[in-house]
């Protein structure tokens, strides 16, 4: 099973930037999708961004599109989430997750949610002050 560790969260002012990292181990194949999800106080978990390890395809939810960028350094087994122009509504615990056999679906219109992902990290807290 893949093990994941999210890091890089902290307290930032609105308009600022943070880069989150997701360090992974235990990949047994190249067909994984990696996802960032977040959960704010009192709200359901929602998707942020996805990336395919095999072909590099990415996907962004509307709430972060144009502000966040996901990338992967496959040699280091690390996925990053660059967050710019942060807003108070971005405040949440951010989780990274992985699931094999989803790599080819990231670049399609197929619906992918947190329920499709079986391996999860602990999460890192991002707080954006106004």
């Amino acid at each position: 099973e893949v093990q994941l560790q999210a890091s890089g969260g902290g307290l930032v002012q609105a308009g600022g930037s943070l880069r989150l990292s997701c360090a992974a181990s235990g990949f047994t194949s190249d067909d994984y999708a990696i996802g960032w999800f977040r959960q704010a106080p009192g709200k359901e978990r929602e998707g942020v961004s996805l990336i395919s390890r095999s072909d590099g395809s990415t996907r962004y939810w509307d709430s972060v599109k144009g502000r966040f960028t996901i990338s992967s350094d496959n040699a280091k087994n690390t996925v990053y989430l660059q967050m710019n122009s942060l807003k108070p509504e971005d405040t949440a615990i951010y989780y990274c997750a992985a699931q094999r056999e989803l790599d080819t679906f990231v670049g399609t219109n197929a619906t992918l949610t947190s329920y499709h992902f079986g391996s999860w990290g602990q999460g890192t807290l991002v707080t954006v002050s106004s």
Side-chain angles (χ1 to χ4, degrees):
E1 181 176 327
V2 176
Q3 295 177 287
L4 305 164
Q5 181 63 57
S7 62
L11 174 64
V12 298
Q13 293 181 244
S17 298
L18 280 175
R19 188 176 75 158
L20 306 184
S21 298
C22 176
S25 63
F27 289 122
T28 58
S29 61
D30 294 324
D31 60 353
Y32 285 83
I34 310 296
W36 286 98
F37 300 85
R38 66 186 184 184
Q39 188 163 18
K43 299 182 66 177
E44 294 294 315
R45 187 170 299 183
E46 65 178 4
V48 178
S49 184
L50 306 175
I51 189 167
S52 168
R53 270 180 53 90
S54 62
D55 63 21
S57 298
T58 60
R59 181 189 296 190
Y60 300 92
W61 271 252
D62 287 344
S63 60
V64 307
K65 195 172 298 182
R67 300 187 297 120
F68 292 8
T69 303
I70 191 171
S71 62
S72 178
D73 186 338
N74 287 354
K76 295 182 178 180
N77 288 326
T78 302
V79 172
Y80 304 96
L81 185 69
Q82 179 66 46
M83 306 186 296
N84 298 327
S85 301
L86 283 163
K87 305 174 181 179
E89 50 262 46
D90 294 318
T91 295
I93 299 175
Y94 284 72
Y95 301 90
C96 61
Q99 179 62 48
R100 63 186 300 266
E101 300 183 339
L102 289 187
D103 59 324
T104 59
F105 293 91
V106 173
T108 75
N109 290 323
T111 298
L112 293 175
T113 73
S114 62
Y115 295 104
H116 293 92
F117 288 77
S119 299
W120 289 83
Q122 189 66 38
T124 185
L125 176 63
V126 173
T127 303
V128 184
S129 62
S130 60

